Every structure is written in C-alpha cells, then in structure tokens.
Amino acid sequence: MLLNTDRQSLVWKLMGYVYVTHLWPLINANLVPVNLRGPAFSLLGAKIGKSVMVGGKILDPSLVEIGDYSMLGEDCLLTSHAVEGDRVDLGMIVVGRNVTVGVKAVVLPDVHIGDNAIVAAGAVVKKGSRIGAGEIWGGVPARRIGEVGRGEGVRERGRDEEM
Ligand SMILES: CC(C)(COP(=O)(O)OP(=O)(O)OC[C@H]1O[C@@H](n2cnc3c(N)ncnc32)[C@H](O)[C@@H]1OP(=O)(O)O)[C@@H](O)C(=O)NCCC(=O)NCCS
C-alpha cells in the first residue's frame, strides 16, 4: 500500500526539511560510526531493532522499520519516497530480522523484506516488492534469484573450495 494521505505527506515534509537541512550533511560525511547509525536513525523516527548495522543511508526514517541483527551494506539506500514527475509516492519499508541488504542496493517505497532474506549487492528493489523470508533477490529490477542455504557461516571462497 502506498501512503499518500495528507497527514503522512505533512510529517514527511517536516521531517525531510529538518533532516536535509540539519542532519543529512553529518550522515553524508560519515561522521556517525556504523554501529551508532541505528540509534541515530531511531532518534529520527525509524523503528530499529537491536544490533542493527547501518552502512548505508535511510532517507525517510519515519517510514522505515528494521528488525534485530539486520545489516545495511555500505552505500545502500532505503528511500520510502519516490518523486515521479508531479507526484510523490510514500510507502513504508519494512525489513525483518537478520536481513542483509547488499552494498549499493536501492530499496524503493512500500517494500517488505522477510526475516533472513538477502538483497544482493547492487540490486534495485522496486516499489511494492514483497521479499519472502530467506529469499535472495538481486538484479535490476530485483527478482528472486535464490534462497538462503542452511549452515552457512564465514566462507573463504577459493581456499575452502580447494580443500
Ligand atoms: C547475492 C549473493 C548473496 C549471492 O552469493 P552466493 O550465494 O555466494 O552466490 P554466487 O556468487 O555463487 O551466485 C549465485 C547466483 O546469483 C547471481 N548473483 C550473485 N550476485 C549477484 C548480484 N549482486 N546481483 C545479481 N545476481 C547475482 C550469480 O550470477 C549466480 O547466478 P547463476 O546461478 O545464474 O549463475 C551475493 O553475491 C551478494 O550480493 N551478497 C551481498 C553481500 C553484501 O553486500 N553484504 C553487505 C555488506 S558486507
């Protein structure tokens, strides 16, 4: 559901003003350490779980929820608004628990990502996408490209494969 009620638009505009004029320069300059960006975005209205690592950017904190232990990779972007010509679509982005959003991925409005899912590096997740728990989505636009396997941990590609 895209949220285009007057009230939500007003809140979004007010938050956007404060955010862009006062806080965006700090975040853009990477002055806030990765492990403190979760609490920082919480103060701005996002619902952020525990131990969330935020390496990327959240453009509309009041329209974002992120579950425990999730990670937003470096330079990814969560935007809950999309300006398209003379209209603006607003939609909640809801990220489950233990989700990985890959480096440089873009997540557009009204996207829900289930627990343990992975958004691949560089993916563009289009408006209204519903990513199921444990699914891997990648590409532009992003589509389901796989499922998270069992028993995965740290792998050293190359070395482990040779053994
Ligand atoms: C998507 C991803 C999880 C797949 O990793 P993997 O399970 O090791 O799988 P492989 O590299 O063997 O690739 C499996 C398939 O996915 C495709 N794929 C891999 N990365 C992709 C990407 N970024 N976008 C689109 N497709 C991708 C491969 O082409 C391959 O397709 P094929 O089976 O048709 O040949 C991984 O490439 C990725 O993007 N991880 C994100 C890591 C990240 O940025 N973390 C946050 C910061 S540390």
Side-chain angles (χ1 to χ4, degrees):
M1 181 182 63
L2 292 175
L3 308 171
N4 271 338
T5 65
D6 288 347
R7 188 178 166 278
Q8 275 157 335
S9 296
L10 183 65
V11 170
W12 175 71
K13 282 176 193 160
L14 287 172
M15 287 292 295
Y17 174 75
V18 173
Y19 193 50
V20 170
T21 52
H22 293 80
L23 300 165
W24 190 239
L26 287 178
I27 291 166
N28 255 346
N30 286 334
L31 294 179
V32 184
V34 166
N35 56 336
L36 294 182
R37 287 185 206 168
F41 282 115
S42 292
L43 290 174
L44 295 169
K47 288 188 183 149
I48 309 267
K50 61 184 174 190
S51 301
V52 171
M53 300 296 266
V54 181
K57 290 174 187 155
I58 297 173
L59 285 190
D60 312 282
S62 62
L63 295 177
V64 168
E65 293 178 17
I66 302 179
D68 301 340
Y69 310 115
S70 288
M71 170 190 269
L72 306 186
E74 183 72 13
D75 263 354
C76 75
L77 183 71
L78 270 55
T79 175
S80 304
H81 77 276
V83 177
E84 291 163 5
D86 58 1
R87 63 178 262 175
V88 182
D89 285 334
L90 301 178
M92 289 291 300
I93 294 176
V94 181
V95 176
R97 291 164 55 93
N98 195 36
V99 168
T100 302
V101 179
V103 293
K104 292 193 179 294
V106 176
V107 179
L108 291 164
D110 189 33
V111 167
H112 294 189
I113 304 174
D115 295 345
N116 306 308
I118 297 175
V119 174
V124 175
V125 185
K126 66 184 184 181
K127 287 179 290 181
S129 297
R130 296 290 179 265
I131 298 180
E135 292 181 354
I136 303 174
W137 281 44
V140 181
R143 299 184 191 289
R144 186 177 180 283
I145 59 172
E147 204 154 311
V148 175
R150 287 190 199 141
E152 289 186 346
V154 174
R155 288 176 295 166
E156 289 191 43
R157 192 171 288 274
R159 202 182 82 165
D160 288 354
E161 282 167 0
E162 282 162 19
M163 290 166 67

